[in-house]
Amino acid sequence: MPPVRFIETNGIRMAVHEAGSGPAVVLLHGFPGLAFTWRHQIPALVAAGYHVIAPDLRGYGLTDAPPRVEDYDIAHLTGDLVGLLDALGIEKAVFMGHDWGGLLAWQMPLLHEERVMGVIGVNTPFIPHWMLWLHPDLVDAAMPAGPTFVANPQVDPITQMRNVYSPDMYVLLFQDGQVADRAMARDPRGSIRNAYRKDLMSSAEWGSMPAEVANMEYYGKPFPDPLPGSDVLNAGELDFYAQRFERTGFTPAINWYRNLSSNWQSGFEVDQTVRVPSMMVSGEHDVVLRPSMADGMHAYVKDLERHVVPDCWHWTPEERPEHLNRLAVSWLRRRFPPG
């Protein structure tokens, strides 16, 4: 990782890793991630001729963690990135995001199109009106229908989720009190190791399961022994993540989820069309963000290239870094060549 520096942006102090020169590429991690998520991508992008900026996002790592839940809504999160570009003297950037960072990357051209050259979504498809966490079968059925999203954007996505999942589904558990926060904070290393799994059932197998089986997290419960699948992180990488989350706890990161309803409400005022060059990279076996969930993206993302990384689950930047690097560098050189 390049050395950390600190940037004042949007009322917070943000930890940023920066390297290289050329067109700017901002790397946005997910949950429970860090700028460290991109340790394999940074050197490859720098070598390809790009100015790479990887922040610890609001509430994560060495970046400030404001206390209020509403401090983590989409206006604050995208505002942080606009302030980051301002502080670095950058007019426009490509935003490349994984998991929650992917959702944030897709929101940037909706809310701040003038600051966005392009978007690379990793695992996270663009789905309008914050319906991303509905059961994939609902999204698969709805997305190809065209410009009107038919999985009922008029109803709060959290309300819809409560009609599909049990209360123990992790996104719903995050909405209700501090049970998940406390459970994860009791054993940060175990919580990270439990999250970063691969070699699980395939997305095709998951798709044949009933919706109730989506309760795949163990927040507030003893971790199964052995954990399913295999580890994504080695011991040293796991230690790094654990040390950072021992410092912050998990509440600031979980607060991103606690703004889903308010983000949905504010989204009604926003045109849900992405008009910048974009690439979508799915993981073949991601059971939550299934590749099929991106099938209807062309209705909303006007300039879209799609890829599926084979033999890959959810943690693509760390599971299959060489494959992701090849795709990202190839697309960037074609759409935003250095020099």
Side-chain angles (χ1 to χ4, degrees), residues 1 28 52-53 101 169 211 229 231 239 248 255 274 318 325 334 339:
M1 294 291 290
L28 308 175
V52 183
I53 302 118
M169 192 273 183
D231 294 321
D239 287 343
T248 61
N255 281 341
V274 176
E318 294 160 292
N325 293 351
R334 285 182 279 117

Side-chain angles (χ1 to χ4, degrees), residues 5-276:
R5 61 180 294 196
F6 291 92
I7 299 294
E8 298 294 329
T9 172
N10 197 27
I12 64 170
R13 185 171 178 256
M14 175 175 277
V16 177
H17 301 266
E18 183 183 13
S21 60
V25 180
V26 181
L27 304 177
L28 308 175
H29 65 78
F31 172 89
L34 298 164
F36 184 68
T37 295
W38 303 105
R39 60 197 176 279
H40 303 297
Q41 283 68 52
I42 294 172
L45 295 173
V46 169
Y50 293 91
H51 177 191
V52 183
I53 302 118
D56 284 342
L57 295 171
R58 177 178 287 239
Y60 285 89
L62 301 178
T63 291
D64 286 350
R68 303 181 307 162
V69 169
E70 55 266 34
D71 290 328
Y72 298 85
D73 67 12
I74 196 62
H76 284 90
L77 299 177
T78 57
D80 293 347
L81 301 180
V82 171
L84 173 62
L85 296 185
D86 289 343
L88 297 177
I90 297 170
E91 181 183 357
K92 290 187 174 186
V94 174
F95 290 89
M96 178 173 174
H98 171 255
D99 186 79
W100 251 107
L103 196 153
L104 183 55
W106 291 119
Q107 292 297 305
M108 283 299 293
L110 301 188
L111 302 177
H112 302 283
E113 184 177 349
E114 73 282 358
R115 309 306 297 271
V116 182
M117 292 193 297
V119 173
I120 301 175
V122 184
N123 290 72
T124 312
F126 176 75
I127 296 176
H129 296 299
W130 295 87
M131 299 295 169
L132 187 64
W133 283 273
L134 291 175
H135 191 266
D137 287 342
L138 299 180
V139 175
D140 291 348
M143 280 293 290
T148 302
F149 186 71
V150 298
N152 204 348
Q154 302 302 316
V155 178
D156 184 331
I158 295 298
T159 299
Q160 294 190 63
M161 289 183 69
R162 293 192 192 282
N163 293 330
V164 174
Y165 298 113
S166 89
D168 289 333
M169 192 273 183
Y170 74 105
V171 176
L172 295 179
L173 194 61
F174 286 168
Q175 309 301 312
D176 300 329
Q178 297 281 313
V179 173
D181 310 44
R182 290 193 295 267
M184 295 182 73
R186 280 196 295 269
D187 181 8
R189 195 176 193 276
S191 296
I192 296 294
R193 183 169 178 246
N194 174 57
Y196 279 79
R197 312 303 299 164
K198 62 178 181 178
D199 302 327
L200 303 162
M201 69 173 65
S202 70
S203 58
E205 292 169 322
W206 182 263
S208 67
M209 303 292 280
E212 308 84 68
V213 182
N215 305 319
M216 55 198 167
E217 308 292 353
Y218 299 94
Y219 302 124
K221 305 172 186 176
F223 294 131
D225 185 18
L227 287 170
S230 58
D231 294 321
V232 171
L233 306 174
N234 65 38
E237 293 165 338
L238 184 57
D239 287 343
F240 185 90
Y241 277 106
Q243 289 164 8
R244 288 289 191 264
F245 280 97
E246 284 168 2
R247 173 182 178 273
T248 61
F250 291 89
T251 295
I254 293 173
N255 281 341
W256 288 45
Y257 289 88
R258 292 176 174 138
N259 279 280
L260 288 173
S261 293
S262 64
N263 291 339
W264 163 78
Q265 187 68 47
S266 65
F268 281 107
E269 302 175 3
V270 179
D271 179 4
Q272 299 290 303
T273 305
V274 176
R275 295 182 174 85
V276 299

Side-chain angles (χ1 to χ4, degrees), residues 37-45 48 96 122 198 232 237 279 281 307-312 315-331:
T37 295
W38 303 105
R39 60 197 176 279
H40 303 297
Q41 283 68 52
I42 294 172
L45 295 173
M96 178 173 174
V122 184
K198 62 178 181 178
V232 171
E237 293 165 338
M279 180 170 71
V281 180
H307 298 275
V308 177
V309 179
D311 193 30
C312 185
W315 308 100
T316 304
E318 294 160 292
E319 286 184 56
R320 298 295 305 277
E322 296 85 0
H323 196 123
L324 178 59
N325 293 351
R326 286 195 299 272
L327 292 175
V329 169
S330 172
W331 183 81

